[in-house]
């Protein structure tokens, strides 16, 4: 029997996650919570932020997880991404989870972790890739949007889809209220999708994630 803290700080499953963030870190928290209550058999071994003021760093520290700040400013993308890949490889990370990491990754980084980088995006891809997906959807007037967890490839929010969940846009929604409901969905979707990928027994048929 292990405590929640032991679960979230490691030593249990052997499946090693590296989580990349730039800000709030609520999806990071949802991953830590899922590990803590046994929904996800994995350990977050490092949290890396490109911003020193990312709130998510504090969440990681509270959970006793190693944090790294790797500031991208003034660095060429290739050089930065190589340093990022090295930091993750050095910690023998099995899966890289982008959780609000506001940077496009270079093809060399993607190639360094084939089918081992996941991202969460707040829309039903391929609709509304890029920034402010919730606002894009709200302004467009769609009546259903949602959240998507997908593999990261060289395209912008375009890799193979692992899991999606729909969220209905209500008539009285603002972009902010819609974003808040999507975020609730994100928080259960991401840990579940990570568990799917770690469980194995899947393959990609073209773009299709098949189990
Ligand atoms: C989430 O909406 C996620 O879908 C998007 O960036 C946001 C990150 O939020 N990629 P948080 O930092 O996890 O709270």
């Amino acid at each position: 029997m292990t405590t929640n803290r032991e679960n979230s700080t490691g030593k249990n499953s052997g499946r090693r996650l590296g989580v990349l963030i730039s800000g709030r870190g609520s999806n990071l928290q949802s991953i830590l919570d899922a590990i803590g209550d046994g929904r996800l058999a994995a350990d977050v071994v490092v949290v890396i932020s490109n911003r020193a003021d990312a709130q998510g760093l504090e969440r990681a520290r509270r959970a006793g997880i190693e944090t790294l700040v790797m500031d991208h400013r003034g660095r060429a993308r290739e050089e930065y991404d190589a340093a990022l890949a090295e930091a993750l490889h050095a910690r023998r990370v099995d899966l890289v989870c982008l959780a609000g990491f506001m940077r496009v990754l270079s093809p060399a980084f993607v190639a360094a972790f084939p089918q081992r980088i996941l991202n969460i995006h707040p829309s039903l891809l391929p609709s509304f890739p890029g920034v402010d997906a919730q606002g894009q959807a709200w302004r467009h007037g769609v009546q259903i949007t949602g959240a998507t967890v997908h593999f990261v490839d060289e395209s912008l929010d375009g890799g193979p889809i692992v899991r999606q969940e729909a969220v209905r846009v209500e008539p009285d929604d603002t972009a902010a209220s819609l974003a808040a409901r999507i975020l609730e969905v994100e928080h259960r979707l991401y840990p579940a999708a990570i568990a799917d990928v770690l469980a194995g027994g899947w393959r990609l048929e073209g773009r299709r994630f098949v189990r």
Side-chain angles (χ1 to χ4, degrees), residues 23-28 99-100 119-122 134 183 186:
R24 185 174 56 184
S26 71
N27 278 289
L28 163 66
N119 182 43
I120 182 147
H121 184 78
Q134 308 94 324
L183 193 62
E186 291 184 43

Side-chain angles (χ1 to χ4, degrees), residues 13 17-18 35 59 69 95 105 115 128 131 142 189 196 204:
S13 74
L17 308 181
I35 292 170
R59 298 178 192 269
V69 175
L95 195 62
L105 293 164
Q115 293 176 15
F128 311 120
V131 295
V142 296
L189 195 67
D196 286 346
L204 291 179

Side-chain angles (χ1 to χ4, degrees), residues 9-152:
T9 54
K11 307 170 196 63
N12 285 307
S13 74
R15 310 311 298 277
R16 301 168 66 84
L17 308 181
V19 181
L20 308 190
I21 63 169
S22 297
R24 185 174 56 184
S26 71
N27 278 289
L28 163 66
Q29 189 66 57
S30 77
I31 293 166
L32 297 178
D33 292 348
I35 292 170
D37 67 22
R39 279 175 291 138
L40 179 58
D43 301 313
V44 177
V45 296
V46 67
V47 171
I48 304 178
S49 174
N50 64 319
R51 298 184 52 120
D53 61 354
Q55 234 183 296
L57 288 170
E58 192 43 44
R59 298 178 192 269
R61 290 185 194 116
R62 271 205 301 272
I65 293 163
E66 182 190 9
T67 59
L68 291 179
V69 175
M70 296 181 64
D71 194 336
H72 62 280
R73 286 173 298 184
R75 298 175 77 170
R77 186 174 304 279
E78 285 64 30
E79 186 262 324
Y80 181 84
D81 283 7
L84 200 56
E86 194 184 315
L88 292 161
H89 277 142
R91 287 159 183 82
R92 292 177 288 109
V93 159
D94 296 303
L95 195 62
V96 180
C97 300
L98 310 186
F101 187 61
M102 299 301 285
R103 290 193 44 89
V104 173
L105 293 164
S106 58
F109 185 91
V110 173
F113 296 93
Q115 293 176 15
R116 290 194 292 137
I117 312 171
L118 291 178
N119 182 43
I120 182 147
H121 184 78
S123 75
L124 288 180
L125 289 170
S127 292
F128 311 120
V131 295
D132 189 24
Q134 308 94 324
Q136 291 185 54
W138 184 78
R139 286 188 295 276
H140 194 89
V142 296
Q143 297 181 2
I144 294 173
T145 181
T148 303
V149 178
H150 64 93
F151 285 108
V152 172

Side-chain angles (χ1 to χ4, degrees), residues 115 151 159-162 202-210:
Q115 293 176 15
F151 285 108
I161 291 165
V162 177
W202 53 267
R203 64 192 182 282
L204 291 179
E205 288 183 358
R207 294 185 41 86
R208 299 177 60 253
F209 181 78
V210 181

